[in-house]
Amino acid sequence: MSEPQEDSFISHLVELRDRLLRAVVAVVVVFVCLMPWAGDIYDILAHPMMTALPEGTKMIATGVVTPFFVPMKVTLLVAFVIALPFVLYQAWCFIAPGLYAHEKRLGLPLVVGSTVLFLAGMAFCYFFVFGTVFKFIAQFAPKSITPAPDIEQYLAFVMSMFLAFGITFEVPVIVIVLVKLGIVDVAKLKEARPYVIVGAFVIAAVVTPPDVVSQLMLAVPMCLLYELGIFLSRFVTRTRVDEVASS
């Protein structure tokens, strides 16, 4: 490796370090600002569950330090979500100089779109799925028991559901990228529709609780978002054809 190449590689590493440091500092600053309200933030996260529990019932904490660390984990997650635009901006500033003009035109909308869709998936899960699923489960709980969920297990469940629905809402972006790269076309996507529907219900059965309601609330949006991806892919295909014709 020649000396100019070594200098360029080192400069890229330095810039990567600086971008990562700025992103981490942004998350930490937001986290520190939110720390005094960590308990309130966890209460907001637990609201769907508390609404479904019998009146007067509360969650439990089986660990000694769990009442402290679980709200801190939730607050850190919220801090990351709030600082996410700045974190993505730092990532884009590092990647953009190495991209061609047409890659920049595609890359920025994909980054923004995928972020918005992921957050929309989390919001859909919190505002619609949790309340419905928890009430459905509570209806089948025997009257001889008193539900008292552990806050650490609840956090693990919530995080897995947020991740599942966030990734599910990325389906249109995945479809558009596959079409843009020429891996598949719109006709093949339409032909694969029956397999996608079956796959959606299989995935929903694996990643959601073993109840019909939560499985439907994951599988149905996945199918609808797949159709949205097919619809938007038509415009991507036209754009690519226009670029080829003009070159």
Side-chain angles (χ1 to χ4, degrees):
M1 183 181 293
S2 62
E3 186 174 345
Q5 290 177 327
E6 291 180 354
D7 293 340
S8 177
F9 179 72
I10 293 174
S11 64
H12 279 81
L13 287 180
V14 171
E15 184 179 0
L16 177 61
R17 180 202 63 187
D18 293 341
R19 297 293 180 184
L20 288 175
L21 184 60
R22 293 175 186 174
V24 171
V25 169
V27 175
V28 171
V29 169
V30 177
F31 173 70
V32 171
C33 293
L34 294 177
M35 277 185 62
W37 297 277
D40 297 328
I41 293 173
Y42 181 83
D43 288 340
I44 294 174
L45 182 67
H47 179 72
M49 172 61 78
M50 298 304 298
T51 303
L53 291 176
E55 188 176 355
T57 305
K58 296 184 178 180
M59 292 188 183
I60 62 173
T62 57
V64 176
V65 296
T66 302
F68 172 78
F69 278 115
V70 170
M72 289 296 107
K73 291 178 182 178
V74 175
T75 305
L76 182 60
L77 172 64
V78 173
F80 177 77
V81 171
I82 293 175
L84 188 58
F86 183 79
V87 173
L88 292 176
Y89 173 75
Q90 295 301 319
W92 178 253
C93 289
F94 177 75
I95 298 173
L99 300 178
Y100 294 105
H102 67 279
E103 292 174 334
K104 291 181 180 179
R105 289 196 299 268
L106 176 65
L108 186 57
L110 285 179
V111 170
V112 175
S114 60
T115 303
V116 172
L117 286 173
F118 193 91
L119 296 178
M122 294 177 61
F124 176 80
C125 186
Y126 178 82
F127 289 105
F128 297 100
V129 177
F130 284 164
T132 304
V133 171
F134 294 153
K135 290 179 182 178
F136 178 81
I137 294 175
Q139 290 176 354
F140 286 87
K143 295 182 179 179
S144 57
I145 67 171
T146 301
D150 178 67
I151 62 173
E152 198 163 12
Q153 293 181 355
Y154 177 74
L155 177 60
F157 171 80
V158 166
M159 293 298 297
S160 63
M161 291 291 284
F162 277 158
L163 185 62
F165 277 85
I167 294 176
T168 296
F169 273 61
E170 298 294 326
V171 169
V173 175
I174 296 173
V175 172
I176 291 173
V177 170
L178 291 176
V179 173
K180 187 68 176 179
L181 295 178
I183 298 175
V184 295
D185 55 25
V186 176
K188 290 182 179 179
L189 291 173
K190 292 181 179 179
E191 293 176 1
R193 185 180 286 123
Y195 304 99
V196 172
I197 294 175
V198 174
F201 279 90
V202 171
I203 294 173
V206 172
V207 302
T208 60
D211 64 273
V212 178
V213 175
S214 59
Q215 293 173 9
L216 286 174
M217 296 189 77
L218 180 63
V220 172
M222 190 181 301
C223 296
L224 295 177
L225 290 167
Y226 181 76
E227 295 297 329
L228 177 61
I230 293 177
F231 174 76
L232 296 176
S233 297
R234 297 174 181 175
F235 300 98
V236 174
T237 305
R238 291 174 187 173
T239 302
R240 188 175 60 183
V241 171
D242 294 340
E243 290 176 354
V244 174
S246 61
S247 60

